Amino acid sequence: MNLCNKILKKYLDKIFLLIYFFTVYLFNPSYCTDNSKNDTLALIGKKVITADDFITSYKEKLARIGFTDNGQTRLGYLMNLVGDELQ
């Protein structure tokens, strides 16, 4: 079993919870009006991944790799950022 699978099995419930909150955050109507107060996408220990951090990093990664921008790619990239912090 590779390292990624071990991490997924160990943190699967936390990952689903993170996906849930991320989805609720994206589809929240107030997200469109005022997101300056709390733009936290993930909190891993004391490490905070903000929307601005995510957007900057994501755009750089898209430019380097050439992936197509879509919801699945965004979620996958966020999961990679969280997984990197868990290691």
Side-chain angles (χ1 to χ4, degrees):
M1 189 185 278
N2 65 22
L3 180 62
C4 187
N5 284 340
K6 287 181 183 178
I7 291 171
L8 281 176
K9 283 192 176 198
K10 185 174 182 181
Y11 296 104
L12 193 59
D13 57 338
K14 292 175 180 74
I15 290 170
F16 282 125
L17 190 59
L18 177 68
I19 291 169
Y20 170 76
F21 284 117
F22 182 69
T23 305
V24 168
Y25 181 75
L26 283 180
F27 294 107
N28 185 350
S30 65
Y31 174 75
C32 298
T33 57
D34 182 18
N35 63 355
S36 62
K37 294 179 184 170
N38 185 3
D39 66 346
T40 301
L41 297 180
L43 178 63
I44 305 99
K46 293 185 179 185
K47 170 69 175 171
V48 177
I49 299 174
T50 65
D52 289 337
D53 295 336
F54 174 79
I55 290 168
T56 302
S57 177
Y58 179 73
K59 285 181 179 179
E60 290 172 2
K61 185 69 106 174
L62 280 180
R64 269 188 283 142
I65 297 177
F67 282 148
T68 302
D69 181 27
N70 60 45
Q72 185 177 6
T73 304
R74 291 178 186 188
L75 184 57
Y77 185 67
L78 179 61
M79 296 306 296
N80 285 339
L81 291 176
V82 171
D84 290 346
E85 290 301 322
L86 291 173
Q87 292 181 3

